[in-house]
Amino acid sequence: QVQLVESGGGLVQPGGSLRLSCVASGSLFIINTMAWYRQALGKERELVAAITKGGTTTYADSSKGRFTISSDNAKNTVLLNMNSLKPEDTAVYYCNARVGRPDRPYDYWGQGTQVTVSS
């Protein structure tokens, strides 16, 4: 079992920055990849960025150059630094931990944190 708790969302003006934090607890040794997803109103949940336990990162095209995902293993924390935010970044952001074999993955989710980009 893995528990995930996000924090750091809020209201920011276009062009501003936010940092999201996800603290993981439980059976951390089983986690293969951690990621941030987001879901805007009326849209499907989509990947924002991911980081493997080896440190390899992946970004959605919409995130490249603006967002940075990183992990602090000593604090069991994954961060998402978001810069140059746009109104279209408005969504609920979810922390994700993927465990299991590549052919049989299982996902754990946090409760989500709202990010609103508006003037």
Side-chain angles (χ1 to χ4, degrees):
Q1 292 285 340
V2 175
Q3 294 80 41
L4 304 170
V5 179
E6 304 106 329
S7 62
L11 173 64
V12 64
Q13 293 186 342
S17 299
L18 278 177
R19 185 172 73 173
L20 304 184
S21 176
C22 173
V23 179
S25 61
S27 302
L28 303 179
F29 65 93
I30 65 174
I31 297 175
N32 296 320
T33 303
M34 293 198 68
W36 287 94
Y37 285 74
R38 68 186 182 187
Q39 187 167 18
L41 196 62
K43 296 188 177 181
E44 294 187 354
R45 191 171 297 189
E46 63 178 5
L47 176 69
V48 176
I51 185 167
T52 68
K53 60 184 178 182
T56 301
T57 57
T58 303
Y59 294 93
D61 287 343
S62 59
S63 307
K64 289 178 182 176
R66 300 188 300 127
F67 295 0
T68 302
I69 189 170
S70 61
S71 61
D72 184 340
N73 293 331
K75 296 182 180 180
N76 303 326
T77 299
V78 173
L79 301 174
L80 183 69
N81 284 291
M82 303 186 293
N83 298 315
S84 303
L85 284 162
K86 306 174 182 179
E88 51 263 44
D89 294 317
T90 296
V92 178
Y93 284 69
Y94 295 92
C95 183
N96 166 273
R98 178 159 289 185
V99 307
R101 291 164 20 190
D103 61 332
R104 295 185 64 182
Y106 183 85
D107 289 316
Y108 290 94
W109 297 94
Q111 81 284 357
T113 185
Q114 177 71 47
V115 171
T116 302
V117 184
S118 175
S119 55

